[in-house]
Amino acid sequence: MRADAQRNYDLVVKAASEAIARDGAYASLEEIARSAGVGSATLHRHFPTRWSLLQAVFRGCVRNLAARAGDLLAAPDALDGLTTWLHEVTAYATTTRGLADSLLNEPPEETEACGAMLVAAGEPLLRRAVDEGSVRPDITMADLIILANGISLAAQPMGAAKAEQLLTLALKGIGRSQP
């Protein structure tokens, strides 16, 4: 891709990410183009369908979350690093209104690839927490991603604060700690 085409692509994805967070998956494509400082034809040249634009936004965010998992490996407490990252995954999924629902209609290989990327990114965080003894060894990252996604979908109408509360409840449980 030429440098100017790549710049326009990046501007459109950034504007789309902001619009989707604010207005949901059906944000105006014209407004996205305007916010990116490009014409409608440029947007459609890069993204012939709304779904292709949603996929680009989703993949970019998944890459950012994967990178963040790597950053959190340096957290002093493994459990804190893991739970911080799971809260960030849940917050992202909750605040990108309609994106997760919209992508559920996409070919499974696309959503499976993004899910696999998140699982792979979170695995080192989970392994470290298991090695420190703060997480049971039978817990899998795939299960934690399913938990985070389920909570985000359920809490979407209520917002990120509710998702945060529900994830904390799920991770800590409802019982008193046993010695």
Side-chain angles (χ1 to χ4, degrees):
M1 198 180 291
R2 292 185 343 237
D4 61 330
Q6 182 65 54
R7 180 182 48 86
N8 288 341
Y9 178 95
D10 294 341
L11 288 169
V12 169
V13 171
K14 182 177 186 291
S17 296
E18 293 166 359
I20 290 166
R22 183 183 61 247
D23 303 325
Y26 291 96
S28 164
L29 295 178
E30 292 300 319
E31 178 59 34
I32 290 170
R34 211 175 2 267
S35 294
V38 301
S40 181
T42 298
L43 182 144
H44 289 287
R45 190 169 28 260
H46 288 290
F47 305 101
T49 66
R50 175 178 299 277
W51 307 122
S52 62
L53 178 58
L54 290 173
Q55 286 174 337
V57 168
F58 187 60
R59 282 190 305 267
C61 291
V62 167
R63 279 192 300 273
N64 291 341
L65 287 167
R68 179 70 173 134
D71 296 342
L72 287 168
L73 274 173
D77 179 86
L79 184 59
D80 285 345
L82 175 63
T83 58
T84 296
W85 186 71
L86 288 170
H87 280 283
E88 290 174 9
V89 168
T90 304
Y92 163 72
T94 304
T95 58
T96 51
R97 296 180 24 216
L99 183 59
D101 289 333
S102 299
L103 289 170
L104 290 175
N105 297 319
E106 287 301 293
E109 54 276 0
E110 178 66 30
T111 52
E112 287 170 11
C114 289
M117 186 185 294
L118 285 175
V119 167
E123 277 295 335
L125 290 169
L126 176 60
R127 267 196 315 274
R128 185 171 167 236
V130 168
D131 291 346
E132 285 186 5
S134 53
V135 174
R136 294 188 342 236
D138 62 315
I139 304 296
T140 68
M141 183 49 65
D143 289 341
L144 293 174
I145 294 297
I146 291 168
L147 175 69
N149 284 334
I151 288 171
S152 69
L153 286 170
Q156 223 164 42
M158 297 164 273
K162 187 59 156 180
E164 173 93 9
Q165 177 191 13
L166 292 172
L167 183 62
T168 298
L169 174 65
L171 294 175
K172 290 188 176 186
I174 61 171
R176 294 177 188 237
S177 299
Q178 299 297 320

